[in-house]
Amino acid sequence: TPLWSASTPSADSRNIFTILPGVGLVAFRGSNGAVLADYLRDPDAAGLIAHVRAQPIGAVIESTPALLEPPSMSWPSAAYRAFLEAHRGRRALLFVGAADGMLHAIDARTGIEVWAVIPFNLLPKLRALRDGQPIDAFAHFVSASPRLADVEADGRWRTVLIFGEGAGGTLYQAFDVSLD
């Protein structure tokens, strides 16, 4: 029995997104099947979306989780001290890439998935989750390890999450996960 494992909310209540070029953030839901169809390359986009949403969190094969906690660096900057104070009580999240095509944000206290994002270039590969994969042609997804850093940009401190796909692809993405 594992000491700790993440749990997946019901399919309807999951917060799963993708970011489409020229469109922006799109909820990965059957109601957006028409918007996602060209990227999914599946004649039954809504059915594929429903299948993916119903799956538990995928296997974590090569991705080492990154833990987001309240900031704790001691820094002489007044701006960083203000950032530290403003985020002293923020929720701890684990970020990890999985073999389900998603980067997951998991509440570190409860083990429940908070949100997930699917890189748009992996959307066509999601069919493998429904159709199956031959052992000699395994489709990798988000297998790189995410990284977190507090950074100052334009005079403001933020916490940035950067993740890639490892063997799954070449795309890297960065998100502001400061949780103001």
Side-chain angles (χ1 to χ4, degrees):
T1 305
L3 198 53
W4 182 90
S5 68
S7 67
T8 309
S10 70
D12 290 338
S13 66
R14 291 182 78 185
N15 296 311
I16 304 174
F17 304 94
T18 190
I19 301 170
L20 299 180
V23 177
L25 189 69
V26 175
F28 190 76
R29 298 190 153 279
S31 59
N32 287 328
V35 175
L36 296 166
D38 287 344
Y39 292 93
L40 292 170
R41 299 184 191 147
D42 189 286
D44 180 18
L48 178 58
I49 291 167
H51 178 82
V52 171
R53 289 183 64 82
Q55 297 301 303
I57 292 175
V60 176
I61 299 171
E62 296 171 343
S63 181
T64 300
L67 177 62
L68 173 75
E69 296 180 292
S72 62
M73 292 188 338
S74 55
W75 200 271
S77 158
Y80 187 79
R81 282 192 301 276
F83 172 75
L84 186 145
E85 194 56 42
H87 295 87
R88 184 174 303 281
R90 76 175 165 193
R91 151 202 291 199
L93 294 174
L94 284 172
F95 296 100
V96 67
D100 58 4
M102 300 179 212
L103 173 85
H104 297 274
I106 299 165
D107 186 297
R109 186 179 52 82
T110 65
I112 297 173
E113 178 191 67
V114 177
W115 56 265
V117 65
I118 304 169
F120 81 92
N121 67 318
L122 297 183
L123 291 171
K125 293 171 79 171
L126 294 177
R127 290 182 303 168
L129 300 174
R130 182 193 58 209
D131 300 343
Q133 304 179 58
I135 292 174
D136 62 341
F138 181 75
H140 291 271
F141 288 97
V142 182
S143 58
S145 299
R147 298 287 187 248
L148 290 161
D150 289 339
V151 298
E152 185 178 20
D154 297 326
R156 292 188 63 210
W157 280 92
R158 314 297 298 155
T159 302
V160 176
L161 167 75
I162 299 173
F163 77 97
E165 299 167 356
T170 58
L171 186 70
Y172 282 84
Q173 291 184 307
F175 295 110
D176 179 346
V177 293
S178 303
L179 303 176
D180 286 31

